[in-house]
């Protein structure tokens, strides 16, 4: 029996989850599925400038797991760009980060999909 997958901590969901050629027809053969945890590794490493070790600490997983997820994500993005396929971000084994400031160093928690305000801001209103 295989070991259950560990949940990966993700700070924010993407503002848009569908990317690709403007004239593309969305069907299963022309679709590349990027999981939310793969999106998070790209966001942390390429956009925020985290090392793989820092990314692993942020997502609460092993560095070798980050390396595998990152490589898979880059291949999917390349397939989408080179072959003109639509890229959809959805699914995966993740949980949204609940800490708002102390444990999270990427500041993504404050930019959740829900209007850009943090959960504490929403509770005060």
């Amino acid at each position: 029996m295989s070991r259950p997958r560990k949940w990966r901590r993700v700070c924010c969901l993407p503002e848009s989850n569908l990317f690709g050629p403007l004239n593309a027809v969305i069907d299963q053969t022309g679709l590349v599925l990027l999981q939310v945890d793969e999106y998070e590794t790209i966001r942390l490493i390429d956009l925020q400038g985290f090392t793989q070790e820092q990314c692993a600490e942020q997502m609460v997983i092993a560095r070798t797991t980050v390396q595998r997820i990152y490589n898979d994500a880059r291949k999917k993005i390349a397939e989408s760009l080179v072959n003109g396929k639509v890229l959809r971000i959805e699914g995966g084994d993740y949980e949204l980060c609940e800490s708002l400031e102390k444990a999270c160093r990427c500041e993504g928690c404050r930019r959740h999909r829900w209007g850009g305000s943090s959960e504490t801001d929403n509770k005060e209103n």
Side-chain angles (χ1 to χ4, degrees):
M1 176 156 71
S2 64
R3 183 176 159 207
R5 294 185 97 182
K6 188 173 182 180
W7 293 96
R8 288 88 190 250
R9 184 170 63 188
V10 171
C11 287
C12 60
L13 296 174
E15 292 291 326
S16 299
N17 68 344
L18 200 60
F19 303 90
L22 296 176
N23 61 351
V25 176
I26 301 174
D27 62 6
Q28 293 302 329
T29 59
L31 183 69
V32 176
L33 187 62
L34 185 74
Q35 294 184 344
V36 174
D37 55 337
E38 293 171 329
Y39 161 81
E40 182 74 347
T41 59
I42 293 291
R43 187 182 74 79
L44 291 174
I45 294 171
D46 291 337
L47 185 63
Q48 297 292 328
F50 280 32
T51 64
Q52 288 184 5
E53 190 170 294
Q54 291 168 325
C55 180
E57 183 179 317
Q58 181 69 30
M59 294 179 71
V60 193
I61 54 177
R63 188 204 55 80
T64 53
T65 304
V66 167
Q67 184 176 21
R68 182 187 51 75
I69 293 170
Y70 183 63
N71 288 337
D72 291 347
R74 289 178 57 203
K75 283 182 183 179
K76 290 177 181 182
I77 292 169
E79 181 182 356
S80 175
L81 290 173
V82 172
N83 297 325
K85 294 184 175 184
V86 174
L87 180 73
R88 179 182 292 164
I89 303 172
E90 68 179 18
D93 299 319
Y94 72 94
E95 62 184 357
L96 286 174
C97 182
E98 293 180 13
S99 65
L100 294 174
E101 293 187 28
K102 297 196 185 228
C104 182
R105 293 179 290 137
C106 75
E107 298 182 12
C109 296
R110 293 187 220 146
R111 295 185 300 109
H112 278 294
R113 243 183 150 151
W114 315 295
S117 63
S118 69
E119 290 176 19
T120 52
D121 292 341
N122 291 336
K123 287 179 184 175
E124 291 173 2
N125 294 334

